[in-house]
Amino acid sequence: MEEELLNTLDTNLSFIVEISTLNLIQIGLKYGVFKEMIGRKCYTDFLLSSAVKNKSLLKSLVDTYYALGIVEMGLNDAWVKEYSYTLELTSEKNRYLLPDWIPIFEEIYRMVDYASISPEHPKILMDFDKDSDFWDMRLGVQLNSIYRRLINQIGELKDGMKVLDLGCGSVSPVEIGEVVGPNGEYVGVDFSPGLLSIAEQKVRNLGFDWVTLKELDITRIKPRRIYDAVIMSFVLEYVQDIPTVIRNALNALHEGGKIIIVDPFRENYPNIEAWEFFERLTKEFIHFPSKEEVIKAFDYNGYDVKIREFGKSILSIELL
């Protein structure tokens, strides 16, 4: 069962990157970016003359093309290279691909049209508070439930355990809180009051009085209690200081406790920069972390830990 879930998670995350790459190429064609960059052209002149009004978005777009090898850049100029891209839809992929995340990413793709006009356009629905309903929908798709099931299995979570969830969002308090059960304790921390408000309503309706939610920046938490497990799922891409967050998580664990980290570690996903372009519509987004920088953060903090990898997107860290 665990292997099936891991294959489902990794296959769908890989496909998100592939679809993002195709969408990114389509954007370049739609806005005439590639046509304008035929032959060497002064980069600054190109940015100023382009019809795209949002110049920071345009720069991010061209920088992403450079990262993908579509555009070459010199000291002061830039130009389009010869480029080909192949997406393979195999029977193995079809076995694991899930359909319900597709409409979410189609909506995000459409938001780029509005972002090209202004970064503050009201139809960009990527703000954690202003657009918390959209984020709640996104967090509730089957793909995200898959990684929460993996967290439960890999973390060996069960009724009676104490769990700290850093960056809990609006759905994990229900799905993971239910596993922890009335004899345990689930503490969810998030910096978004909008998502926490949705989560609070859900747990209140279900009567999950063992679930506690706190509005905090996870880089600033000072754990006063000890937990059996600490969870960080799709949160490190919003963190500037990963070693500090790792230290806070380690300080919250008892000996033998586990940290479960879920993220599309960038060295495992070629062309992940394409996905990152779309995620930057959320102003807090930095970049998806590498597995190496996460592991280095544990070395930096000097704790004795056992690290295990599960698929391409999950690390389990046991405090020895």
Side-chain angles (χ1 to χ4, degrees), residues 24-43:
L24 203 72
I25 293 170
Q26 186 173 346
I27 288 170
L29 294 169
K30 180 166 61 174
Y31 295 150
V33 173
F34 299 142
K35 191 170 185 178
E36 289 181 36
M37 296 182 75
I38 294 174
R40 288 176 177 265
K41 187 162 186 177
C42 175
Y43 187 38

Side-chain angles (χ1 to χ4, degrees), residues 57-290:
L57 180 77
L58 179 61
K59 184 179 184 304
S60 176
L61 180 65
V62 176
D63 288 347
T64 304
Y65 289 145
Y66 174 69
L68 298 177
I70 300 173
V71 163
E72 189 60 76
M73 301 180 74
L75 186 61
N76 297 308
D77 52 3
W79 61 97
V80 178
K81 297 171 61 179
E82 298 289 330
Y83 182 80
S84 64
Y85 183 76
T86 303
L87 185 151
E88 293 184 354
L89 187 59
T90 64
S91 57
E92 183 70 8
K93 277 187 180 179
N94 272 322
R95 177 184 172 191
Y96 294 112
L97 285 174
L98 303 170
D100 66 342
W101 60 262
I102 297 290
I104 297 292
F105 279 84
E106 286 178 336
E107 186 65 32
I108 295 172
Y109 170 71
R110 283 192 289 268
M111 291 178 198
V112 175
D113 286 335
Y114 302 113
S116 70
I117 301 170
S118 167
E120 304 301 327
H121 198 287
K123 291 191 177 181
I124 303 172
L125 307 177
M126 296 288 277
D127 185 277
F128 285 117
D129 291 322
K130 180 167 62 74
D131 308 306
S132 54
D133 286 339
F134 178 77
W135 274 101
D136 182 52
M137 288 172 54
R138 186 176 179 182
L139 291 169
V141 299
Q142 189 179 359
L143 174 59
N144 294 330
S145 289
I146 292 289
Y147 76 67
R148 286 187 286 269
R149 288 168 63 187
L150 282 164
I151 287 170
N152 293 332
Q153 291 183 20
I154 292 168
E156 300 179 289
L157 305 187
K158 57 187 178 182
D159 184 20
M161 294 182 70
K162 292 180 172 59
V163 173
L164 174 63
D165 192 347
L166 302 180
C168 63
S170 58
V171 181
S172 291
V174 172
E175 293 189 3
I176 296 178
E178 183 177 20
V179 174
V180 169
N183 297 309
E185 182 179 2
Y186 172 96
V187 177
V189 176
D190 205 292
F191 67 77
S192 168
L195 286 174
L196 287 176
S197 176
I198 294 173
E200 284 170 357
Q201 186 63 52
K202 291 178 180 180
V203 298
R204 191 182 306 120
N205 290 343
L206 292 167
F208 286 5
D209 55 7
W210 61 90
V211 171
T212 302
L213 301 173
K214 298 181 179 181
E215 183 187 338
L216 287 170
D217 182 338
I218 64 172
T219 63
R220 298 180 181 178
I221 64 168
K222 302 294 181 184
R224 295 186 176 87
R225 307 185 56 188
I226 299 298
Y227 296 87
D228 300 301
V230 177
I231 297 165
M232 289 182 277
S233 55
F234 283 83
V235 69
L236 292 180
E237 55 264 33
Y238 304 101
V239 172
Q240 198 74 251
D241 186 0
I242 290 178
T244 294
V245 173
I246 296 296
R247 182 174 66 248
N248 293 341
L250 288 165
N251 288 339
L253 277 183
H254 64 65
E255 186 177 311
K258 291 181 180 178
I259 298 173
I260 307 296
I261 297 174
V262 183
D263 248 311
F265 300 119
R266 61 186 310 109
E267 58 264 67
N268 292 337
Y269 292 92
N271 294 336
I272 197 169
E273 294 89 353
W275 183 3
E276 290 177 323
F277 171 79
F278 295 97
E279 293 300 335
R280 288 195 183 95
L281 293 176
T282 302
K283 62 180 182 297
E284 293 87 358
F285 182 85
I286 301 170
H287 61 77
F288 290 115
S290 70

